[in-house]
Structure formats: structure tokens, C-alpha cells
Amino acid sequence: MQLGIVGLPNVGKSTLFNAITKAGAQAANYPFCTIEPNVGIVPVPDERIEKLTELYNPKKTTPAVVEFVDIAGLVRGASEGEGLGNQFLSHIRNVDAIVQVVRCFENENITHVDGSIDPVRDMETIMLELILADMQTVEKRIEKTKKQAKSGESKLKTELNDLEDILSGLSKEKPARALDLTDEQKELCKDMFLLTIKPTIYAANVSEDDLSAGNTMVDAVAKKASDEGAQTVIVSAEIEFEISTMDKEDAEMFLSDLGVEASGLDRLIQKSYALLGLISYLTAGEKEVRAWTIEKGTLAPQAAGKIHTDFEKGFIRAEVVPYDVLLDLGSVTLAKEKGLMRSEGRDYEVKDGDVVLFRFNV
């Protein structure tokens, strides 16, 4: 899963990126500090992996991972190339989902590119640039399809109508994900790699005092996000950076004192997984305990293929025990003895938290 972190300059993008990846992306108080996208890969926090590691004491533990891409700040006019906008937009086009950081705190020592703090205006600025870029993409596709449709092929005429419907919706300054599209039109948007069809989370960046309850600016962000089919998570980039330097126990105590149950990273990943329809299944043994990310609804052979293509080609069956059952009993042997390990075939949909052993022919 690759998440692109975007936002206007000086809203806390790179500070947040530094905190959650510890990758040292440059952060400074001036626009366009980030030009090339910084990339960091971070493990997905998963208590199940930790518990299975305690149970099996494996030689290796491998969690699922998320790739964060810190994309340079966008400004008004990016769709026309302002602020190296075309380059930045191309970076956004490659990610699975967008995390837009919006500034919901006052600090006179940190300049804002527009001179004042207004997160909804910031959201609209970036969204408009993404919509304008998408309109250019759709218009080019319409011109191409018009030429091809002269052949009289009905499929192309249908596509042309769909493209015009999409363009009409975008022209009303609505992102593609907020439009009332058919399944075919949604697939067309994905095929064109439209920016505004991508799942989006707004990260409302607040001060320490507002982390637990938010503020009026966060409320405005949440309403705007809901109206356009996006989600919101409250974070404090400065707090995230602070806890990134602590060990797990100290970080948990610090967050508890702030009245927060989980870090911004944890909540961001949880929402991202849900937004993209992702789950994790687990494999466990003395050699390795590992989490594997798949789409919800993935069948057993395809889930096996995540490990190795030979597993999918030669799939025989999946031996499955739910994580909670395995942890309660303490071993696969006991699960088998009690009849709690199931043998599943090709039509089985792997569930989140399934501990699986795949049987296959070489």
C-alpha cells in the first residue's frame, strides 16, 4: 500500500513524514523545500504479530508494511505548472491513496503560503488543482475517443457518453469520488488514473492541546471531507515526531497522558486499510511469523500467491485457524486435536486474522 502525503507548503507534511518514517525527509519553513518525493517504508502496527512472535519465538518476524511518499507542496495553479505543479501531480498519480495534511493550528512563527490559516480554503485550493488536472486528462481522452468512435462501434459511443458525464461532474468542481457514477464510469476513472477518484484521508494537523478533542477548524475539515466522500483523522505532527524518539512503553504512557488511545500513525493506517478494503492474514512457525496484506474477498489460492506464485499454481488446500483460537490454545496441534483448524478449498475467502498454512503441489 502506497500513501501519498500532500498539502500546501508549511502545513506539517514533511514533519509528519519524518515522524512516521524516521527517514529524515527535509523540513524547513519555506515553500518547495521538498522537490523530489521522499519515500519511507514503515511497519504496520499489529499486536497479533507481536503475540505470535512471543508464542513461536521465530528466527524472523516480518510485519506488513506501508509505503509513505512525501510529495512536494502544491500551490494554486499547479495544474498549469505553477510551483513545478506538473511534476508533483505526476507523483500523486502513482499512489494508491492520498493523505492530505491540512493545518488546523495557529503559530505566528510558521508562515502560510496564503498569509492566513483557513484549512477549508486549503482543501479547496488543492482539490481544485486536482480537478483541473483531471479535466485535462478526460478532455484528452474524449478527443481520442471521438476519433475512434467514427468507426461506429457502439462500445466507443458508450465510452464517449461516460466520459462526457464524468467531465460534466468535474466541471462543477466536484471530485470524481463524490460523483454519482456507474461501476463502468468508476472503472473508466481508474483506467485514466484520475487523481480525484483516489481514496482520500484528510490529516487535520493540530497543536498538542487539541489532539484529543480537536477544534472548530477540525470540525470544518471533517464536514468538508464528508461532503466530498473522504475521511478525516486528527494528528499532531509535532507530537508524532516526539513519540517517534521514544520506546513503545514511554510512547503509550505519553499518549495516555494526552488522552489519546493510539498514535496518529496507527489511526492513519487503520483508516487507510479500511478505505482501500485491505486486511491481513498471518503465517506462523519457528522460521518466521509474518503478516500478508490482501484485499478483502481474496480467495485462498490468490492469497497463497502473495507468498509465491507456485503456491497459487499448485494450490491444494488452506489449513486455517483464527488468530484468537490459536492464541487461546497456544498451539496448532491443540487446535487440530479439538477440531478447530479448518481445511478450506479454492472458494474460501481468507479473513482478517486467519492464521494459514497452505498445502500445494510443486
Side-chain angles (χ1 to χ4, degrees):
M1 178 169 67
Q2 190 179 70
L3 303 177
I5 302 179
V6 304
L8 293 175
N10 301 339
V11 297
K13 288 187 306 86
S14 293
T15 301
L16 180 62
F17 179 83
N18 290 349
I20 61 181
T21 65
K22 300 180 185 178
Q26 186 181 17
N29 183 24
Y30 58 89
F32 311 120
C33 168
T34 307
I35 296 178
E36 291 300 324
N38 301 289
V39 179
I41 297 175
V42 297
V44 175
D46 193 336
E47 185 182 23
R48 299 172 302 191
I49 287 291
E50 297 174 13
K51 295 293 185 182
L52 288 175
T53 296
E54 293 173 7
L55 182 63
Y56 282 89
N57 192 27
K59 295 178 181 178
K60 183 180 179 183
T61 298
T62 307
V65 296
V66 174
E67 187 173 303
F68 285 91
V69 182
D70 179 28
I71 299 169
L74 293 175
V75 293
R76 192 173 288 107
S79 61
E80 300 298 331
E82 289 295 324
L84 302 179
N86 291 332
Q87 183 181 352
F88 302 159
L89 291 169
S90 70
H91 294 150
I92 298 173
R93 212 174 291 279
N94 294 325
V95 300
D96 298 309
I98 296 171
V99 177
Q100 183 179 329
V101 182
V102 286
R103 181 173 168 178
C104 295
F105 66 90
E106 298 281 355
N107 187 327
E108 62 183 17
N109 295 319
I110 302 177
T111 60
H112 189 287
V113 70
D114 285 332
S116 62
I117 310 303
D118 184 342
V120 171
R121 178 199 60 207
D122 294 352
M123 294 166 72
E124 290 173 345
T125 295
I126 288 186
M127 184 51 62
L128 180 58
E129 295 307 321
L130 300 184
I131 288 172
L132 290 172
D134 279 351
M135 289 178 67
Q136 292 175 14
T137 299
V138 177
E139 286 167 350
K140 289 178 182 177
R141 181 68 171 261
I142 285 175
E143 289 304 311
K144 179 181 177 182
T145 305
K146 276 183 178 178
K147 293 177 182 177
Q148 295 174 333
K150 291 179 180 178
S151 65
E153 188 176 340
S154 60
K155 182 181 177 181
L156 291 172
K157 290 183 177 179
T158 300
E159 179 179 310
L160 186 58
N161 289 333
D162 286 341
L163 288 168
E164 289 173 345
D165 284 346
I166 294 167
L167 183 61
S168 175
L170 292 171
S171 66
K172 295 171 185 172
E173 298 188 3
K174 289 185 177 182
R177 63 176 175 274
L179 301 178
D180 185 18
L181 302 176
T182 65
D183 290 342
E184 290 77 13
Q185 289 170 339
K186 289 177 183 177
E187 286 303 313
L188 193 53
C189 288
K190 292 176 183 178
D191 181 59
M192 291 185 288
F193 297 97
L194 293 192
L195 304 171
T196 63
I197 198 66
K198 292 181 182 294
T200 298
I201 297 174
Y202 288 99
N205 187 17
V206 300
S207 65
E208 177 180 330
D209 293 339
D210 294 325
L211 185 57
S212 61
N215 54 36
T216 55
M217 287 186 282
V218 173
D219 294 340
V221 168
K223 183 180 184 306
K224 176 68 174 173
S226 178
D227 290 344
E228 63 176 53
Q231 296 190 27
T232 307
V233 62
I234 300 174
V235 301
S236 171
E238 291 296 335
I239 294 298
E240 289 297 314
F241 188 80
E242 194 169 341
I243 64 175
S244 72
T245 64
M246 302 178 182
D247 62 32
K248 184 180 178 183
E249 289 186 2
D250 288 343
E252 288 175 350
M253 288 180 60
F254 182 56
L255 289 172
S256 178
D257 290 342
L258 292 174
V260 180
E261 292 184 0
S263 71
L265 173 60
D266 287 6
R267 288 179 281 112
L268 186 56
I269 290 176
Q270 288 167 2
K271 285 212 172 190
S272 299
Y273 261 61
L275 200 60
L276 292 170
L278 301 177
I279 61 172
S280 293
Y281 76 85
L282 313 164
T283 53
E286 293 181 359
K287 289 185 178 180
E288 184 181 31
V289 167
R290 183 162 182 168
W292 303 86
T293 301
I294 57 173
E295 291 185 4
K296 188 176 181 180
T298 299
L299 299 181
Q302 286 69 51
K306 278 283 185 177
I307 300 175
H308 198 285
T309 53
D310 287 347
F311 283 31
E312 181 176 355
K313 292 176 182 176
F315 178 87
I316 299 173
R317 66 180 182 276
E319 296 178 358
V320 182
V321 57
Y323 162 78
D324 291 339
V325 171
L326 178 58
L327 197 66
D328 183 51
L329 295 177
S331 75
V332 168
T333 302
L334 279 175
K336 286 181 178 179
E337 290 176 358
K338 293 181 176 293
L340 296 175
M341 173 169 264
R342 309 187 310 273
S343 180
E344 301 288 359
R346 291 182 169 277
D347 295 332
Y348 177 67
E349 288 187 7
V350 177
K351 305 295 190 298
D352 185 54
D354 277 351
V355 182
V356 188
L357 174 63
F358 292 106
R359 301 292 185 184
F360 65 100
N361 286 318
V362 179

